[in-house]
PDB file of all heavy atoms in Angstrom:
ATOM      1  N   TYR A 183     -35.993  66.252 -46.576  1.00 97.00           N
ATOM      2  CA  TYR A 183     -36.770  65.166 -45.926  1.00 97.00           C
ATOM      3  C   TYR A 183     -38.213  65.195 -46.362  1.00 97.00           C
ATOM      4  O   TYR A 183     -38.874  64.070 -46.489  1.00 97.00           O
ATOM      5  CB  TYR A 183     -36.694  65.300 -44.379  1.00 97.00           C
ATOM      6  CG  TYR A 183     -37.808  66.271 -43.850  1.00 97.00           C
ATOM      7  CD1 TYR A 183     -39.047  65.809 -43.483  1.00 97.00           C
ATOM      8  CD2 TYR A 183     -37.509  67.587 -43.645  1.00 97.00           C
ATOM      9  CE1 TYR A 183     -40.054  66.652 -42.957  1.00 97.00           C
ATOM     10  CE2 TYR A 183     -38.492  68.510 -43.169  1.00 97.00           C
ATOM     11  CZ  TYR A 183     -39.761  67.996 -42.857  1.00 97.00           C
ATOM     12  OH  TYR A 183     -40.696  68.835 -42.331  1.00 97.00           O
ATOM     13  N   ALA A 184     -38.755  66.396 -46.641  1.00 97.00           N
ATOM     14  CA  ALA A 184     -40.189  66.495 -46.950  1.00 97.00           C
ATOM     15  C   ALA A 184     -40.466  66.011 -48.340  1.00 97.00           C
ATOM     16  O   ALA A 184     -41.643  65.981 -48.774  1.00 97.00           O
ATOM     17  CB  ALA A 184     -40.673  67.931 -46.729  1.00 97.00           C
ATOM     18  N   VAL A 185     -39.454  65.769 -49.145  1.00 96.00           N
ATOM     19  CA  VAL A 185     -39.645  65.141 -50.486  1.00 96.00           C
ATOM     20  C   VAL A 185     -39.407  63.646 -50.331  1.00 96.00           C
ATOM     21  O   VAL A 185     -40.244  62.872 -50.752  1.00 96.00           O
ATOM     22  CB  VAL A 185     -38.624  65.767 -51.482  1.00 96.00           C
ATOM     23  CG1 VAL A 185     -38.612  64.994 -52.808  1.00 96.00           C
ATOM     24  CG2 VAL A 185     -38.864  67.249 -51.685  1.00 96.00           C
ATOM     25  N   GLU A 186     -38.372  63.253 -49.623  1.00 97.00           N
ATOM     26  CA  GLU A 186     -37.961  61.844 -49.491  1.00 97.00           C
ATOM     27  C   GLU A 186     -39.050  61.034 -48.807  1.00 97.00           C
ATOM     28  O   GLU A 186     -39.313  59.889 -49.159  1.00 97.00           O
ATOM     29  CB  GLU A 186     -36.665  61.732 -48.753  1.00 97.00           C
ATOM     30  CG  GLU A 186     -35.414  62.333 -49.450  1.00 97.00           C
ATOM     31  CD  GLU A 186     -34.270  62.603 -48.488  1.00 97.00           C
ATOM     32  OE1 GLU A 186     -34.404  62.291 -47.329  1.00 97.00           O
ATOM     33  OE2 GLU A 186     -33.200  63.043 -49.031  1.00 97.00           O
ATOM     34  N   ILE A 187     -39.714  61.650 -47.857  1.00 97.00           N
ATOM     35  CA  ILE A 187     -40.726  60.958 -47.040  1.00 97.00           C
ATOM     36  C   ILE A 187     -41.791  60.226 -47.870  1.00 97.00           C
ATOM     37  O   ILE A 187     -42.196  59.151 -47.624  1.00 97.00           O
ATOM     38  CB  ILE A 187     -41.350  61.991 -45.991  1.00 97.00           C
ATOM     39  CG1 ILE A 187     -42.210  61.215 -44.972  1.00 97.00           C
ATOM     40  CG2 ILE A 187     -42.163  63.060 -46.698  1.00 97.00           C
ATOM     41  CD1 ILE A 187     -42.713  62.157 -43.859  1.00 97.00           C
ATOM     42  N   PHE A 188     -42.198  60.942 -48.970  1.00 97.00           N
ATOM     43  CA  PHE A 188     -43.279  60.398 -49.761  1.00 97.00           C
ATOM     44  C   PHE A 188     -42.874  59.155 -50.492  1.00 97.00           C
ATOM     45  O   PHE A 188     -43.669  58.233 -50.666  1.00 97.00           O
ATOM     46  CB  PHE A 188     -43.750  61.416 -50.840  1.00 97.00           C
ATOM     47  CG  PHE A 188     -44.515  62.621 -50.179  1.00 97.00           C
ATOM     48  CD1 PHE A 188     -43.884  63.835 -49.926  1.00 97.00           C
ATOM     49  CD2 PHE A 188     -45.872  62.474 -49.933  1.00 97.00           C
ATOM     50  CE1 PHE A 188     -44.617  64.891 -49.382  1.00 97.00           C
ATOM     51  CE2 PHE A 188     -46.591  63.527 -49.371  1.00 97.00           C
ATOM     52  CZ  PHE A 188     -45.923  64.732 -49.116  1.00 97.00           C
ATOM     53  N   HIS A 189     -41.636  59.074 -50.959  1.00 96.00           N
ATOM     54  CA  HIS A 189     -41.162  57.960 -51.734  1.00 96.00           C
ATOM     55  C   HIS A 189     -40.961  56.734 -50.852  1.00 96.00           C
ATOM     56  O   HIS A 189     -40.944  55.636 -51.291  1.00 96.00           O
ATOM     57  CB  HIS A 189     -39.880  58.340 -52.456  1.00 96.00           C
ATOM     58  CG  HIS A 189     -40.157  59.465 -53.438  1.00 96.00           C
ATOM     59  ND1 HIS A 189     -40.545  59.217 -54.762  1.00 96.00           N
ATOM     60  CD2 HIS A 189     -40.186  60.850 -53.311  1.00 96.00           C
ATOM     61  CE1 HIS A 189     -40.773  60.374 -55.374  1.00 96.00           C
ATOM     62  NE2 HIS A 189     -40.519  61.365 -54.508  1.00 96.00           N
ATOM     63  N   HIS A 190     -40.831  56.942 -49.520  1.00 97.00           N
ATOM     64  CA  HIS A 190     -40.819  55.760 -48.636  1.00 97.00           C
ATOM     65  C   HIS A 190     -42.240  55.351 -48.258  1.00 97.00           C
ATOM     66  O   HIS A 190     -42.581  54.199 -48.336  1.00 97.00           O
ATOM     67  CB  HIS A 190     -40.054  56.144 -47.337  1.00 97.00           C
ATOM     68  CG  HIS A 190     -38.559  56.310 -47.590  1.00 97.00           C
ATOM     69  ND1 HIS A 190     -37.714  55.275 -47.289  1.00 97.00           N
ATOM     70  CD2 HIS A 190     -37.883  57.341 -48.053  1.00 97.00           C
ATOM     71  CE1 HIS A 190     -36.475  55.665 -47.610  1.00 97.00           C
ATOM     72  NE2 HIS A 190     -36.572  56.909 -48.032  1.00 97.00           N
ATOM     73  N   ALA A 191     -43.083  56.381 -48.001  1.00 97.00           N
ATOM     74  CA  ALA A 191     -44.479  56.059 -47.601  1.00 97.00           C
ATOM     75  C   ALA A 191     -45.237  55.266 -48.631  1.00 97.00           C
ATOM     76  O   ALA A 191     -45.885  54.278 -48.305  1.00 97.00           O
ATOM     77  CB  ALA A 191     -45.184  57.344 -47.304  1.00 97.00           C
ATOM     78  N   VAL A 192     -45.051  55.660 -49.935  1.00 96.00           N
ATOM     79  CA  VAL A 192     -45.868  54.908 -50.970  1.00 96.00           C
ATOM     80  C   VAL A 192     -45.332  53.454 -51.159  1.00 96.00           C
ATOM     81  O   VAL A 192     -46.031  52.687 -51.783  1.00 96.00           O
ATOM     82  CB  VAL A 192     -45.865  55.703 -52.221  1.00 96.00           C
ATOM     83  CG1 VAL A 192     -46.628  57.021 -52.120  1.00 96.00           C
ATOM     84  CG2 VAL A 192     -44.539  55.898 -52.875  1.00 96.00           C
ATOM     85  N   LYS A 193     -44.133  53.219 -50.721  1.00 95.00           N
ATOM     86  CA  LYS A 193     -43.604  51.825 -50.793  1.00 95.00           C
ATOM     87  C   LYS A 193     -43.805  51.133 -49.477  1.00 95.00           C
ATOM     88  O   LYS A 193     -43.167  50.110 -49.207  1.00 95.00           O
ATOM     89  CB  LYS A 193     -42.085  51.882 -51.166  1.00 95.00           C
ATOM     90  CG  LYS A 193     -41.843  52.357 -52.599  1.00 95.00           C
ATOM     91  CD  LYS A 193     -40.382  52.231 -52.999  1.00 95.00           C
ATOM     92  CE  LYS A 193     -39.554  53.404 -52.395  1.00 95.00           C
ATOM     93  NZ  LYS A 193     -38.207  53.507 -52.926  1.00 95.00           N
ATOM     94  N   ASN A 194     -44.692  51.727 -48.649  1.00 95.00           N
ATOM     95  CA  ASN A 194     -44.959  51.107 -47.302  1.00 95.00           C
ATOM     96  C   ASN A 194     -43.687  50.915 -46.463  1.00 95.00           C
ATOM     97  O   ASN A 194     -43.587  49.929 -45.679  1.00 95.00           O
ATOM     98  CB  ASN A 194     -45.735  49.757 -47.441  1.00 95.00           C
ATOM     99  CG  ASN A 194     -47.104  50.030 -47.991  1.00 95.00           C
ATOM    100  OD1 ASN A 194     -47.828  50.983 -47.565  1.00 95.00           O
ATOM    101  ND2 ASN A 194     -47.518  49.321 -49.080  1.00 95.00           N
ATOM    102  N   GLU A 195     -42.760  51.788 -46.689  1.00 97.00           N
ATOM    103  CA  GLU A 195     -41.525  51.816 -45.862  1.00 97.00           C
ATOM    104  C   GLU A 195     -41.621  52.883 -44.811  1.00 97.00           C
ATOM    105  O   GLU A 195     -42.261  53.957 -45.050  1.00 97.00           O
ATOM    106  CB  GLU A 195     -40.300  52.044 -46.721  1.00 97.00           C
ATOM    107  CG  GLU A 195     -39.985  51.033 -47.836  1.00 97.00           C
ATOM    108  CD  GLU A 195     -38.948  51.571 -48.821  1.00 97.00           C
ATOM    109  OE1 GLU A 195     -38.562  52.780 -48.734  1.00 97.00           O
ATOM    110  OE2 GLU A 195     -38.606  50.814 -49.742  1.00 97.00           O
ATOM    111  N   SER A 196     -40.986  52.697 -43.655  1.00 98.00           N
ATOM    112  CA  SER A 196     -40.861  53.740 -42.676  1.00 98.00           C
ATOM    113  C   SER A 196     -39.828  54.712 -43.201  1.00 98.00           C
ATOM    114  O   SER A 196     -39.093  54.461 -44.111  1.00 98.00           O
ATOM    115  CB  SER A 196     -40.457  53.201 -41.314  1.00 98.00           C
ATOM    116  OG  SER A 196     -39.152  52.689 -41.423  1.00 98.00           O
TER     117      SER A 196
END
Side-chain angles (χ1 to χ4, degrees):
Y183 86 88
V185 172
E186 295 164 358
I187 189 173
F188 288 99
H189 297 271
H190 289 264
V192 296
K193 289 186 284 191
N194 293 315
E195 296 169 354
S196 65

